[in-house]
Amino acid sequence: MILTQCAVCATELGLSLGKKCGRCSTRYCGPECQVQHWKEGGHDKLCKPIKKAGGAEQYNANKKYAEAVAVAAEACAEDTKGQTCFICTQALHWKTKEGLVRGCACRGTAGFAHVSCLAEQVKILFAEVEESNLDCEVKNERWHRWHTCSLCEQQYHGVVSCALGWACWKTYVGRPETDHIRSNAMNLLGNGLADVKHHEDTLTVREADLAMMRRIGASEESILVVQGNLASTYTALGRLEEASRIVRDVYSGYLKLAGEEHEKTLIEANNYASSLRQLKRFEEAKSLMLKMMPVARRVFGGNHEVMLMMRQNYALALYRDDGATLDDFREAVNTFEDLARIARRVLGGSHPLTTEIEQTLQKVRAALRARETP
Ligand SMILES: [Zn+2]
Ligand SMILES: [Zn+2]
Ligand SMILES: [Zn+2]
Ligand SMILES: [Zn+2]
């Protein structure tokens, strides 16, 4: 699934092209590379261990996992010096000898752990709910442990998020495609890779996820979620045209599925307007926001986060447009002043959206001043 290249020459094979080793499923572009890999690439010795590990995909996941754990422990070495794991109480893991990590909001002596211990813990917790058929909510709560710390309730970030992404994928890679846990694991791996800005790898995972969802005939809503993730990856890669096309589809998908007043529809309308703005298609961005802002106001009221984001989007499109008039600049400044007041009151001064709005307010004010000075 995640392996989409020939093991010898790295030709891109997508999800179905090429040829597989009949025993271990290692992928090749064709018989020549396969023969070469066996004779000179060491596959004659590796084939058996790969098959024994559960096939090429599992073998790859295990290997990537070990690498990601080493990277995470190394990056956290300074912070974790002299500490012990809150799960196994040791400094070095008894079996893997890996070092400690911490990548959440835990402070002081709290929250140090081995990635293996974190992964083992959530694996067991989740297996429990799967066996006993507990309801969805409990299942979701336990699944959260793959990405959220149980002590501080904040999401893991950076290298720790990435290592847990591989841990999760390695745990569930053997699940059949129709088991939605497989897609969840792929999603988590994609998020982890995005957290360390490995956007090309994220793209491979997102595309594989989307292709799988289509193949198994997943619900339209699940497909829209994966498409939304894919669009973020394209944006991160600077492939803005592709991102915008997908966001447009996601927006119109939710519009059809849930109607214009649904929260998801409004969020995606806003995302689509952002993508248009990044492409400098300001008129389209503005007219979409003018159409959807009254709907959002009716549904959520003026203080809701979505409403703030939409107004922000509109004001940005207003003053960044090359044809912006002095009045447009003034309207943008007024809007950002108003947004800053609301955000401070409703979300608080340390909320990322508040910070973002306040920083932009400074920029728009400066832009207005520059414009007013002859
Ligand atoms: Zn090849
Ligand atoms: Zn093989
Ligand atoms: Zn431990
Ligand atoms: Zn924590």
PDB file of all heavy atoms in Angstrom, residues 114-145:
ATOM      1  N   HIS A 114       8.653   5.702  26.491  1.00  0.00           N
ATOM      2  CA  HIS A 114       9.193   5.079  25.287  1.00  0.00           C
ATOM      3  C   HIS A 114       8.074   5.023  24.256  1.00  0.00           C
ATOM      4  O   HIS A 114       6.929   4.706  24.626  1.00  0.00           O
ATOM      5  CB  HIS A 114       9.656   3.652  25.585  1.00  0.00           C
ATOM      6  CG  HIS A 114      10.759   3.591  26.594  1.00  0.00           C
ATOM      7  ND1 HIS A 114      10.581   3.055  27.846  1.00  0.00           N
ATOM      8  CD2 HIS A 114      12.039   4.032  26.524  1.00  0.00           C
ATOM      9  CE1 HIS A 114      11.721   3.156  28.519  1.00  0.00           C
ATOM     10  NE2 HIS A 114      12.623   3.746  27.738  1.00  0.00           N
ATOM     11  N   VAL A 115       8.399   5.289  23.001  1.00  0.00           N
ATOM     12  CA  VAL A 115       7.376   5.166  21.958  1.00  0.00           C
ATOM     13  C   VAL A 115       6.785   3.758  22.004  1.00  0.00           C
ATOM     14  O   VAL A 115       5.566   3.580  21.919  1.00  0.00           O
ATOM     15  CB  VAL A 115       7.971   5.469  20.562  1.00  0.00           C
ATOM     16  CG1 VAL A 115       6.919   5.260  19.489  1.00  0.00           C
ATOM     17  CG2 VAL A 115       8.516   6.886  20.497  1.00  0.00           C
ATOM     18  N   SER A 116       7.641   2.748  22.180  1.00  0.00           N
ATOM     19  CA  SER A 116       7.157   1.363  22.238  1.00  0.00           C
ATOM     20  C   SER A 116       6.153   1.155  23.360  1.00  0.00           C
ATOM     21  O   SER A 116       5.171   0.436  23.194  1.00  0.00           O
ATOM     22  CB  SER A 116       8.309   0.382  22.452  1.00  0.00           C
ATOM     23  OG  SER A 116       9.146   0.386  21.341  1.00  0.00           O
ATOM     24  N   CYS A 117       6.402   1.782  24.514  1.00  0.00           N
ATOM     25  CA  CYS A 117       5.491   1.618  25.647  1.00  0.00           C
ATOM     26  C   CYS A 117       4.152   2.305  25.357  1.00  0.00           C
ATOM     27  O   CYS A 117       3.088   1.746  25.646  1.00  0.00           O
ATOM     28  CB  CYS A 117       6.099   2.174  26.932  1.00  0.00           C
ATOM     29  SG  CYS A 117       7.456   1.164  27.549  1.00  0.00           S
ATOM     30  N   LEU A 118       4.216   3.518  24.786  1.00  0.00           N
ATOM     31  CA  LEU A 118       2.981   4.234  24.426  1.00  0.00           C
ATOM     32  C   LEU A 118       2.173   3.400  23.437  1.00  0.00           C
ATOM     33  O   LEU A 118       0.965   3.223  23.584  1.00  0.00           O
ATOM     34  CB  LEU A 118       3.315   5.594  23.793  1.00  0.00           C
ATOM     35  CG  LEU A 118       3.926   6.658  24.707  1.00  0.00           C
ATOM     36  CD1 LEU A 118       4.408   7.852  23.874  1.00  0.00           C
ATOM     37  CD2 LEU A 118       2.918   7.124  25.751  1.00  0.00           C
ATOM     38  N   ALA A 119       2.889   2.879  22.425  1.00  0.00           N
ATOM     39  CA  ALA A 119       2.212   2.118  21.371  1.00  0.00           C
ATOM     40  C   ALA A 119       1.604   0.825  21.919  1.00  0.00           C
ATOM     41  O   ALA A 119       0.476   0.466  21.592  1.00  0.00           O
ATOM     42  CB  ALA A 119       3.188   1.814  20.241  1.00  0.00           C
ATOM     43  N   GLU A 120       2.384   0.142  22.769  1.00  0.00           N
ATOM     44  CA  GLU A 120       1.911  -1.120  23.341  1.00  0.00           C
ATOM     45  C   GLU A 120       0.659  -0.874  24.188  1.00  0.00           C
ATOM     46  O   GLU A 120      -0.307  -1.630  24.145  1.00  0.00           O
ATOM     47  CB  GLU A 120       3.036  -1.732  24.192  1.00  0.00           C
ATOM     48  CG  GLU A 120       2.826  -3.162  24.611  1.00  0.00           C
ATOM     49  CD  GLU A 120       2.649  -4.129  23.439  1.00  0.00           C
ATOM     50  OE1 GLU A 120       3.131  -3.827  22.323  1.00  0.00           O
ATOM     51  OE2 GLU A 120       1.996  -5.171  23.646  1.00  0.00           O
ATOM     52  N   GLN A 121       0.686   0.220  24.939  1.00  0.00           N
ATOM     53  CA  GLN A 121      -0.436   0.543  25.820  1.00  0.00           C
ATOM     54  C   GLN A 121      -1.725   0.788  25.018  1.00  0.00           C
ATOM     55  O   GLN A 121      -2.768   0.209  25.319  1.00  0.00           O
ATOM     56  CB  GLN A 121      -0.083   1.798  26.627  1.00  0.00           C
ATOM     57  CG  GLN A 121      -0.992   2.018  27.812  1.00  0.00           C
ATOM     58  CD  GLN A 121      -0.570   3.255  28.613  1.00  0.00           C
ATOM     59  OE1 GLN A 121      -0.309   4.320  28.048  1.00  0.00           O
ATOM     60  NE2 GLN A 121      -0.502   3.115  29.917  1.00  0.00           N
ATOM     61  N   VAL A 122      -1.631   1.611  23.988  1.00  0.00           N
ATOM     62  CA  VAL A 122      -2.852   1.902  23.231  1.00  0.00           C
ATOM     63  C   VAL A 122      -3.299   0.683  22.428  1.00  0.00           C
ATOM     64  O   VAL A 122      -4.493   0.423  22.286  1.00  0.00           O
ATOM     65  CB  VAL A 122      -2.740   3.176  22.351  1.00  0.00           C
ATOM     66  CG1 VAL A 122      -1.407   3.372  21.802  1.00  0.00           C
ATOM     67  CG2 VAL A 122      -3.751   3.198  21.232  1.00  0.00           C
ATOM     68  N   LYS A 123      -2.331  -0.117  21.978  1.00  0.00           N
ATOM     69  CA  LYS A 123      -2.673  -1.339  21.248  1.00  0.00           C
ATOM     70  C   LYS A 123      -3.530  -2.258  22.123  1.00  0.00           C
ATOM     71  O   LYS A 123      -4.557  -2.786  21.694  1.00  0.00           O
ATOM     72  CB  LYS A 123      -1.376  -2.030  20.834  1.00  0.00           C
ATOM     73  CG  LYS A 123      -1.550  -3.273  20.023  1.00  0.00           C
ATOM     74  CD  LYS A 123      -0.183  -3.821  19.652  1.00  0.00           C
ATOM     75  CE  LYS A 123      -0.256  -5.326  19.446  1.00  0.00           C
ATOM     76  NZ  LYS A 123       1.089  -5.893  19.249  1.00  0.00           N
ATOM     77  N   ILE A 124      -3.110  -2.422  23.371  1.00  0.00           N
ATOM     78  CA  ILE A 124      -3.849  -3.284  24.303  1.00  0.00           C
ATOM     79  C   ILE A 124      -5.219  -2.684  24.635  1.00  0.00           C
ATOM     80  O   ILE A 124      -6.245  -3.373  24.576  1.00  0.00           O
ATOM     81  CB  ILE A 124      -3.031  -3.510  25.600  1.00  0.00           C
ATOM     82  CG1 ILE A 124      -1.785  -4.346  25.281  1.00  0.00           C
ATOM     83  CG2 ILE A 124      -3.871  -4.186  26.672  1.00  0.00           C
ATOM     84  CD1 ILE A 124      -0.737  -4.360  26.374  1.00  0.00           C
ATOM     85  N   LEU A 125      -5.227  -1.384  24.950  1.00  0.00           N
ATOM     86  CA  LEU A 125      -6.494  -0.710  25.266  1.00  0.00           C
ATOM     87  C   LEU A 125      -7.496  -0.836  24.125  1.00  0.00           C
ATOM     88  O   LEU A 125      -8.681  -1.052  24.339  1.00  0.00           O
ATOM     89  CB  LEU A 125      -6.242   0.781  25.542  1.00  0.00           C
ATOM     90  CG  LEU A 125      -5.684   1.146  26.909  1.00  0.00           C
ATOM     91  CD1 LEU A 125      -5.281   2.617  26.925  1.00  0.00           C
ATOM     92  CD2 LEU A 125      -6.721   0.863  27.992  1.00  0.00           C
ATOM     93  N   PHE A 126      -6.990  -0.676  22.895  1.00  0.00           N
ATOM     94  CA  PHE A 126      -7.895  -0.702  21.760  1.00  0.00           C
ATOM     95  C   PHE A 126      -8.366  -2.128  21.457  1.00  0.00           C
ATOM     96  O   PHE A 126      -9.523  -2.345  21.104  1.00  0.00           O
ATOM     97  CB  PHE A 126      -7.240  -0.063  20.530  1.00  0.00           C
ATOM     98  CG  PHE A 126      -8.221   0.227  19.443  1.00  0.00           C
ATOM     99  CD1 PHE A 126      -9.117   1.277  19.576  1.00  0.00           C
ATOM    100  CD2 PHE A 126      -8.289  -0.566  18.308  1.00  0.00           C
ATOM    101  CE1 PHE A 126     -10.064   1.535  18.597  1.00  0.00           C
ATOM    102  CE2 PHE A 126      -9.225  -0.310  17.318  1.00  0.00           C
ATOM    103  CZ  PHE A 126     -10.110   0.743  17.448  1.00  0.00           C
ATOM    104  N   ALA A 127      -7.463  -3.100  21.626  1.00  0.00           N
ATOM    105  CA  ALA A 127      -7.844  -4.505  21.402  1.00  0.00           C
ATOM    106  C   ALA A 127      -8.967  -4.892  22.359  1.00  0.00           C
ATOM    107  O   ALA A 127      -9.894  -5.613  21.991  1.00  0.00           O
ATOM    108  CB  ALA A 127      -6.631  -5.405  21.591  1.00  0.00           C
ATOM    109  N   GLU A 128      -8.884  -4.389  23.583  1.00  0.00           N
ATOM    110  CA  GLU A 128      -9.920  -4.646  24.586  1.00  0.00           C
ATOM    111  C   GLU A 128     -11.310  -4.216  24.103  1.00  0.00           C
ATOM    112  O   GLU A 128     -12.257  -4.978  24.190  1.00  0.00           O
ATOM    113  CB  GLU A 128      -9.593  -3.811  25.828  1.00  0.00           C
ATOM    114  CG  GLU A 128      -9.351  -4.584  27.091  1.00  0.00           C
ATOM    115  CD  GLU A 128      -8.831  -3.625  28.157  1.00  0.00           C
ATOM    116  OE1 GLU A 128      -9.505  -2.614  28.436  1.00  0.00           O
ATOM    117  OE2 GLU A 128      -7.737  -3.894  28.657  1.00  0.00           O
ATOM    118  N   VAL A 129     -11.403  -2.960  23.606  1.00  0.00           N
ATOM    119  CA  VAL A 129     -12.726  -2.502  23.151  1.00  0.00           C
ATOM    120  C   VAL A 129     -13.182  -3.240  21.911  1.00  0.00           C
ATOM    121  O   VAL A 129     -14.381  -3.451  21.724  1.00  0.00           O
ATOM    122  CB  VAL A 129     -12.816  -0.984  22.841  1.00  0.00           C
ATOM    123  CG1 VAL A 129     -13.001  -0.195  24.088  1.00  0.00           C
ATOM    124  CG2 VAL A 129     -11.673  -0.471  22.025  1.00  0.00           C
ATOM    125  N   GLU A 130     -12.227  -3.626  21.062  1.00  0.00           N
ATOM    126  CA  GLU A 130     -12.630  -4.360  19.855  1.00  0.00           C
ATOM    127  C   GLU A 130     -13.191  -5.726  20.212  1.00  0.00           C
ATOM    128  O   GLU A 130     -14.170  -6.163  19.641  1.00  0.00           O
ATOM    129  CB  GLU A 130     -11.433  -4.520  18.910  1.00  0.00           C
ATOM    130  CG  GLU A 130     -11.149  -3.279  18.092  1.00  0.00           C
ATOM    131  CD  GLU A 130     -10.314  -3.582  16.864  1.00  0.00           C
ATOM    132  OE1 GLU A 130      -9.236  -4.183  17.027  1.00  0.00           O
ATOM    133  OE2 GLU A 130     -10.741  -3.220  15.757  1.00  0.00           O
ATOM    134  N   GLU A 131     -12.567  -6.389  21.190  1.00  0.00           N
ATOM    135  CA  GLU A 131     -13.024  -7.722  21.590  1.00  0.00           C
ATOM    136  C   GLU A 131     -14.380  -7.672  22.273  1.00  0.00           C
ATOM    137  O   GLU A 131     -15.239  -8.506  22.044  1.00  0.00           O
ATOM    138  CB  GLU A 131     -12.009  -8.365  22.538  1.00  0.00           C
ATOM    139  CG  GLU A 131     -10.890  -9.074  21.809  1.00  0.00           C
ATOM    140  CD  GLU A 131      -9.683  -9.268  22.704  1.00  0.00           C
ATOM    141  OE1 GLU A 131      -9.860  -9.352  23.937  1.00  0.00           O
ATOM    142  OE2 GLU A 131      -8.564  -9.325  22.167  1.00  0.00           O
ATOM    143  N   SER A 132     -14.560  -6.676  23.143  1.00  0.00           N
ATOM    144  CA  SER A 132     -15.777  -6.661  23.939  1.00  0.00           C
ATOM    145  C   SER A 132     -16.907  -5.892  23.247  1.00  0.00           C
ATOM    146  O   SER A 132     -17.974  -5.727  23.813  1.00  0.00           O
ATOM    147  CB  SER A 132     -15.493  -6.045  25.303  1.00  0.00           C
ATOM    148  OG  SER A 132     -14.946  -4.770  25.112  1.00  0.00           O
ATOM    149  N   ASN A 133     -16.644  -5.425  22.005  1.00  0.00           N
ATOM    150  CA  ASN A 133     -17.689  -4.717  21.270  1.00  0.00           C
ATOM    151  C   ASN A 133     -18.296  -3.546  22.017  1.00  0.00           C
ATOM    152  O   ASN A 133     -19.504  -3.335  21.976  1.00  0.00           O
ATOM    153  CB  ASN A 133     -18.804  -5.687  20.892  1.00  0.00           C
ATOM    154  CG  ASN A 133     -18.601  -6.182  19.476  1.00  0.00           C
ATOM    155  OD1 ASN A 133     -18.166  -5.424  18.612  1.00  0.00           O
ATOM    156  ND2 ASN A 133     -18.879  -7.450  19.250  1.00  0.00           N
ATOM    157  N   LEU A 134     -17.472  -2.810  22.728  1.00  0.00           N
ATOM    158  CA  LEU A 134     -17.974  -1.625  23.430  1.00  0.00           C
ATOM    159  C   LEU A 134     -18.411  -0.577  22.401  1.00  0.00           C
ATOM    160  O   LEU A 134     -18.054  -0.667  21.239  1.00  0.00           O
ATOM    161  CB  LEU A 134     -16.881  -1.043  24.335  1.00  0.00           C
ATOM    162  CG  LEU A 134     -16.644  -1.850  25.607  1.00  0.00           C
ATOM    163  CD1 LEU A 134     -15.357  -1.448  26.278  1.00  0.00           C
ATOM    164  CD2 LEU A 134     -17.818  -1.674  26.576  1.00  0.00           C
ATOM    165  N   ASP A 135     -19.175   0.403  22.844  1.00  0.00           N
ATOM    166  CA  ASP A 135     -19.747   1.319  21.857  1.00  0.00           C
ATOM    167  C   ASP A 135     -18.697   2.242  21.216  1.00  0.00           C
ATOM    168  O   ASP A 135     -17.546   2.312  21.645  1.00  0.00           O
ATOM    169  CB  ASP A 135     -20.908   2.128  22.441  1.00  0.00           C
ATOM    170  CG  ASP A 135     -20.442   2.999  23.598  1.00  0.00           C
ATOM    171  OD1 ASP A 135     -19.325   3.520  23.529  1.00  0.00           O
ATOM    172  OD2 ASP A 135     -21.207   3.130  24.577  1.00  0.00           O
ATOM    173  N   CYS A 136     -19.142   2.923  20.200  1.00  0.00           N
ATOM    174  CA  CYS A 136     -18.262   3.733  19.364  1.00  0.00           C
ATOM    175  C   CYS A 136     -17.504   4.793  20.145  1.00  0.00           C
ATOM    176  O   CYS A 136     -16.348   5.064  19.861  1.00  0.00           O
ATOM    177  CB  CYS A 136     -19.090   4.428  18.295  1.00  0.00           C
ATOM    178  SG  CYS A 136     -18.862   3.695  16.698  1.00  0.00           S
ATOM    179  N   GLU A 137     -18.178   5.385  21.116  1.00  0.00           N
ATOM    180  CA  GLU A 137     -17.574   6.493  21.845  1.00  0.00           C
ATOM    181  C   GLU A 137     -16.330   6.027  22.604  1.00  0.00           C
ATOM    182  O   GLU A 137     -15.295   6.685  22.569  1.00  0.00           O
ATOM    183  CB  GLU A 137     -18.605   7.081  22.804  1.00  0.00           C
ATOM    184  CG  GLU A 137     -18.378   8.554  23.068  1.00  0.00           C
ATOM    185  CD  GLU A 137     -19.510   9.140  23.901  1.00  0.00           C
ATOM    186  OE1 GLU A 137     -20.679   8.958  23.508  1.00  0.00           O
ATOM    187  OE2 GLU A 137     -19.209   9.717  24.943  1.00  0.00           O
ATOM    188  N   VAL A 138     -16.457   4.870  23.298  1.00  0.00           N
ATOM    189  CA  VAL A 138     -15.316   4.319  24.030  1.00  0.00           C
ATOM    190  C   VAL A 138     -14.198   3.977  23.039  1.00  0.00           C
ATOM    191  O   VAL A 138     -13.026   4.245  23.281  1.00  0.00           O
ATOM    192  CB  VAL A 138     -15.720   3.046  24.807  1.00  0.00           C
ATOM    193  CG1 VAL A 138     -14.566   2.570  25.675  1.00  0.00           C
ATOM    194  CG2 VAL A 138     -16.962   3.315  25.640  1.00  0.00           C
ATOM    195  N   LYS A 139     -14.596   3.417  21.908  1.00  0.00           N
ATOM    196  CA  LYS A 139     -13.629   3.059  20.877  1.00  0.00           C
ATOM    197  C   LYS A 139     -12.848   4.288  20.430  1.00  0.00           C
ATOM    198  O   LYS A 139     -11.625   4.278  20.337  1.00  0.00           O
ATOM    199  CB  LYS A 139     -14.378   2.491  19.670  1.00  0.00           C
ATOM    200  CG  LYS A 139     -14.016   1.062  19.365  1.00  0.00           C
ATOM    201  CD  LYS A 139     -14.741   0.634  18.105  1.00  0.00           C
ATOM    202  CE  LYS A 139     -14.463  -0.830  17.861  1.00  0.00           C
ATOM    203  NZ  LYS A 139     -15.257  -1.398  16.787  1.00  0.00           N
ATOM    204  N   ASN A 140     -13.587   5.365  20.147  1.00  0.00           N
ATOM    205  CA  ASN A 140     -12.954   6.615  19.712  1.00  0.00           C
ATOM    206  C   ASN A 140     -12.001   7.155  20.763  1.00  0.00           C
ATOM    207  O   ASN A 140     -10.888   7.570  20.454  1.00  0.00           O
ATOM    208  CB  ASN A 140     -14.012   7.683  19.434  1.00  0.00           C
ATOM    209  CG  ASN A 140     -14.549   7.558  18.032  1.00  0.00           C
ATOM    210  OD1 ASN A 140     -13.879   6.982  17.171  1.00  0.00           O
ATOM    211  ND2 ASN A 140     -15.740   8.054  17.811  1.00  0.00           N
ATOM    212  N   GLU A 141     -12.469   7.158  22.004  1.00  0.00           N
ATOM    213  CA  GLU A 141     -11.651   7.646  23.107  1.00  0.00           C
ATOM    214  C   GLU A 141     -10.320   6.913  23.162  1.00  0.00           C
ATOM    215  O   GLU A 141      -9.266   7.520  23.328  1.00  0.00           O
ATOM    216  CB  GLU A 141     -12.374   7.382  24.421  1.00  0.00           C
ATOM    217  CG  GLU A 141     -12.875   8.625  25.118  1.00  0.00           C
ATOM    218  CD  GLU A 141     -13.785   8.246  26.258  1.00  0.00           C
ATOM    219  OE1 GLU A 141     -13.358   7.409  27.092  1.00  0.00           O
ATOM    220  OE2 GLU A 141     -14.922   8.753  26.281  1.00  0.00           O
ATOM    221  N   ARG A 142     -10.389   5.589  23.033  1.00  0.00           N
ATOM    222  CA  ARG A 142      -9.148   4.802  23.110  1.00  0.00           C
ATOM    223  C   ARG A 142      -8.268   5.030  21.897  1.00  0.00           C
ATOM    224  O   ARG A 142      -7.053   5.084  22.008  1.00  0.00           O
ATOM    225  CB  ARG A 142      -9.494   3.322  23.269  1.00  0.00           C
ATOM    226  CG  ARG A 142     -10.336   3.080  24.509  1.00  0.00           C
ATOM    227  CD  ARG A 142      -9.763   1.994  25.346  1.00  0.00           C
ATOM    228  NE  ARG A 142     -10.482   1.923  26.612  1.00  0.00           N
ATOM    229  CZ  ARG A 142     -10.715   0.800  27.268  1.00  0.00           C
ATOM    230  NH1 ARG A 142     -10.300  -0.361  26.772  1.00  0.00           N
ATOM    231  NH2 ARG A 142     -11.329   0.810  28.423  1.00  0.00           N
ATOM    232  N   TRP A 143      -8.896   5.162  20.745  1.00  0.00           N
ATOM    233  CA  TRP A 143      -8.113   5.412  19.525  1.00  0.00           C
ATOM    234  C   TRP A 143      -7.325   6.721  19.644  1.00  0.00           C
ATOM    235  O   TRP A 143      -6.210   6.844  19.154  1.00  0.00           O
ATOM    236  CB  TRP A 143      -9.037   5.454  18.301  1.00  0.00           C
ATOM    237  CG  TRP A 143      -8.272   5.651  17.028  1.00  0.00           C
ATOM    238  CD1 TRP A 143      -8.049   6.820  16.366  1.00  0.00           C
ATOM    239  CD2 TRP A 143      -7.585   4.635  16.290  1.00  0.00           C
ATOM    240  NE1 TRP A 143      -7.273   6.609  15.258  1.00  0.00           N
ATOM    241  CE2 TRP A 143      -6.970   5.266  15.190  1.00  0.00           C
ATOM    242  CE3 TRP A 143      -7.420   3.253  16.448  1.00  0.00           C
ATOM    243  CZ2 TRP A 143      -6.208   4.570  14.257  1.00  0.00           C
ATOM    244  CZ3 TRP A 143      -6.658   2.562  15.511  1.00  0.00           C
ATOM    245  CH2 TRP A 143      -6.066   3.220  14.438  1.00  0.00           C
ATOM    246  N   HIS A 144      -7.938   7.695  20.342  1.00  0.00           N
ATOM    247  CA  HIS A 144      -7.288   8.994  20.553  1.00  0.00           C
ATOM    248  C   HIS A 144      -5.886   8.866  21.142  1.00  0.00           C
ATOM    249  O   HIS A 144      -5.050   9.738  20.953  1.00  0.00           O
ATOM    250  CB  HIS A 144      -8.122   9.874  21.502  1.00  0.00           C
ATOM    251  CG  HIS A 144      -9.201  10.610  20.802  1.00  0.00           C
ATOM    252  ND1 HIS A 144      -8.944  11.541  19.833  1.00  0.00           N
ATOM    253  CD2 HIS A 144     -10.543  10.555  20.918  1.00  0.00           C
ATOM    254  CE1 HIS A 144     -10.083  12.013  19.374  1.00  0.00           C
ATOM    255  NE2 HIS A 144     -11.070  11.431  20.006  1.00  0.00           N
ATOM    256  N   ARG A 145      -5.670   7.799  21.890  1.00  0.00           N
ATOM    257  CA  ARG A 145      -4.356   7.624  22.539  1.00  0.00           C
ATOM    258  C   ARG A 145      -3.229   7.473  21.531  1.00  0.00           C
ATOM    259  O   ARG A 145      -2.067   7.591  21.881  1.00  0.00           O
ATOM    260  CB  ARG A 145      -4.386   6.415  23.490  1.00  0.00           C
ATOM    261  CG  ARG A 145      -5.288   6.632  24.671  1.00  0.00           C
ATOM    262  CD  ARG A 145      -4.696   7.644  25.659  1.00  0.00           C
ATOM    263  NE  ARG A 145      -5.734   8.271  26.445  1.00  0.00           N
ATOM    264  CZ  ARG A 145      -6.150   9.535  26.279  1.00  0.00           C
ATOM    265  NH1 ARG A 145      -5.597  10.306  25.393  1.00  0.00           N
ATOM    266  NH2 ARG A 145      -7.119  10.016  27.014  1.00  0.00           N
TER     267      ARG A 145
END
